[in-house]
Amino acid sequence: DILLCEGQSEELVGRCAMWNDELPGCCFQNTLIRVRCSPSALWPRFAFHCLTHTSHTGELSRLAHRCTNIAHIGATRLAALSIPLPPLLEQQHVAGKLDAGNTVAERTLSAATRQLAALDALPGALLHVVFGGFEGPEEAVERWAARQ
């Protein structure tokens, strides 16, 4: 299943996530639309990537009805959304490539976040090297980062 944010601010409406029954018996509130694909016609991961793309491009936001400052998609408007339907094997292939690309992107972001944290810790670590008597900058960065 795909869970899609039905009502939210204009820039957040349409965000989606995969739901694999991680919590059996879980209920969803009515601000989410549950999209259930027929895996023999539309591969769920492919549909997820299509919906994510339409969310990022603003297409889902353009479909939304606006009331005050809240945008609503609704199941009827969502059902009118056109999703490409290549053969099932191609859907699976494309989804697999996109999943792999997302994994690489997440790992890269995680590594960059760790490097930025170490860089943020560097000035304090260098002061500890100068005034604290540590053996070297690597040890100082590790100690300083552990204190943060």
Side-chain angles (χ1 to χ4, degrees):
D1 291 345
I2 301 165
L3 300 180
L4 189 120
C5 185
E6 188 275 332
Q8 187 60 266
S9 62
E10 195 168 319
E11 62 276 358
L12 298 178
V13 70
R15 291 178 305 159
C16 56
M18 287 297 298
W19 175 256
N20 297 304
D21 203 26
E22 291 89 351
L23 187 61
C26 184
C27 297
F28 306 104
Q29 65 184 60
N30 63 356
T31 59
L32 297 174
I33 298 173
R34 185 168 97 179
V35 178
R36 178 162 284 169
C37 300
S38 172
S40 62
L42 179 59
W43 194 246
R45 293 294 303 172
F46 180 79
F48 167 76
H49 288 296
C50 289
L51 289 171
T52 298
H53 174 73
T54 58
S55 176
H56 288 305
T57 61
E59 188 175 349
L60 284 175
S61 179
R62 286 189 294 277
L63 285 176
H65 170 73
R66 281 139 191 86
C67 179
T68 61
N69 63 345
I70 298 175
H72 295 278
I73 294 175
T76 303
R77 284 187 206 85
L78 182 61
L81 182 69
S82 177
I83 292 182
L85 216 55
L88 192 58
L89 286 176
E90 187 176 338
Q91 292 178 42
Q92 293 169 340
H93 176 75
V94 168
K97 292 286 188 184
L98 290 170
D99 287 340
N102 284 345
T103 298
V104 170
E106 289 168 5
R107 287 183 187 152
T108 303
L109 179 60
S110 179
T113 301
R114 287 192 307 275
Q115 290 172 345
L116 286 172
L119 186 60
D120 285 345
L122 189 58
L126 291 175
L127 288 173
H128 280 290
V129 168
V130 173
F131 299 110
F134 292 123
E135 293 179 17
E138 292 86 8
E139 180 186 20
V141 168
E142 288 176 14
R143 288 188 189 195
W144 183 258
R147 296 176 68 196
Q148 298 299 318

